[in-house]
Amino acid sequence: GSKLPSIKIKHEDIKKKILRTIGNPTDRFVQDPVRMIRLLKFRARFSFSIDSRASQALHGCQEEILKSSPARILEETFKMLESGASKPFFQLMVESGLMKHLYPALDHFLKGKYAEGVYSHLHAADELYHSHNGQPLDRAVLTSCLIYPILLKEIDYQFLDKGVTPTLGEIFVLRHTLIRGFVT
């Protein structure tokens, strides 16, 4: 797969904090749609803005992301969970529209009443990363930052708000249903 060369960083762009692609952004994103995720990754990590041409191409090429290998998408997602910039990355993924193509169920939750809990957990994971000299948390813990707050709200909604105490089996089924919804 391609690495950093699709993102162009010139001295004047660094001063202006601008990200742009090498060559025509639409062509670059069609050639390798994961570049769109990487563009957002750099924006999340360094707070650079995205060049207008690259931004337009990002919005115009969103559906191209579905042509990418699921394994590559998952690996990029884990890398961002481990990066110390997971909260801004997931916010950018939702804002850009890429999240709805990759993880529609998570996109739904991050646009609704569960967003605050998820973003709070991602922020905590980012803070732990920075306070431990860039040592990422285990991937299972990081994945739980996405799922656990939603699971808690769903337990409230489906059981506790109705005065019902769920069994451990019901919680396992609910957890399984949430996870399947995220990965299918």
Side-chain angles (χ1 to χ4, degrees):
S2 59
K3 296 286 181 202
L4 183 60
S6 63
I7 306 295
K8 178 166 50 175
I9 301 178
K10 297 194 292 188
H11 182 67
E12 56 269 14
D13 287 343
I14 292 172
K15 285 169 119 178
K16 294 178 184 177
K17 294 187 169 192
I18 296 174
L19 294 169
R20 60 181 90 240
T21 62
I22 294 173
N24 182 311
T26 300
D27 293 343
R28 301 301 284 172
F29 294 153
V30 169
Q31 289 169 353
D32 183 2
V34 173
R35 289 177 176 141
M36 292 184 282
I37 295 173
R38 291 194 183 122
L39 183 67
L40 295 179
K41 173 173 77 171
F42 286 113
R43 180 159 186 228
R45 289 182 79 185
F46 303 114
S47 299
F48 280 27
S49 61
I50 297 173
D51 166 74
S52 63
R53 288 181 62 219
S55 182
Q56 289 172 354
L58 177 70
H59 293 288
C61 295
Q62 286 179 11
E63 290 186 17
E64 293 291 321
I65 199 67
L66 297 173
K67 296 177 182 174
S68 298
S69 157
R72 286 184 69 207
I73 298 293
L74 184 61
E75 189 57 31
E76 287 296 327
T77 302
F78 278 133
K79 284 180 184 177
M80 281 315 297
L81 282 169
E82 295 170 333
S83 73
S86 64
K87 179 185 176 194
F89 173 74
F90 278 87
Q91 288 172 321
L92 289 169
M93 288 288 286
V94 170
E95 289 170 19
S96 72
L98 282 178
M99 185 69 76
K100 71 181 172 198
H101 296 290
L102 295 174
Y103 305 106
L106 185 56
D107 182 70
H108 169 77
F109 287 119
L110 292 178
K111 288 179 177 173
K113 60 186 175 182
Y114 300 126
E116 183 180 330
V118 174
Y119 288 133
S120 174
H121 280 75
L122 291 174
H123 178 73
D126 292 343
E127 290 295 314
L128 284 169
Y129 172 88
H130 293 293
S131 69
H132 289 92
N133 298 319
Q135 182 64 35
L137 297 171
D138 184 83
R139 286 183 172 186
V141 172
L142 293 167
T143 303
S144 294
C145 290
L146 296 172
I147 297 170
Y148 179 72
I150 296 168
L151 177 62
L152 285 181
K153 293 291 186 182
E154 282 296 309
I155 289 170
D156 285 344
Y157 175 74
Q158 292 187 28
F159 299 101
L160 301 179
D161 291 349
K162 297 173 184 172
V164 176
T165 302
T167 66
L168 191 54
E170 290 170 322
I171 293 172
F172 284 161
V173 168
L174 181 58
R175 175 206 48 136
H176 178 74
T177 303
L178 281 174
I179 292 171
R180 282 195 81 209
F182 288 154
V183 297
T184 57

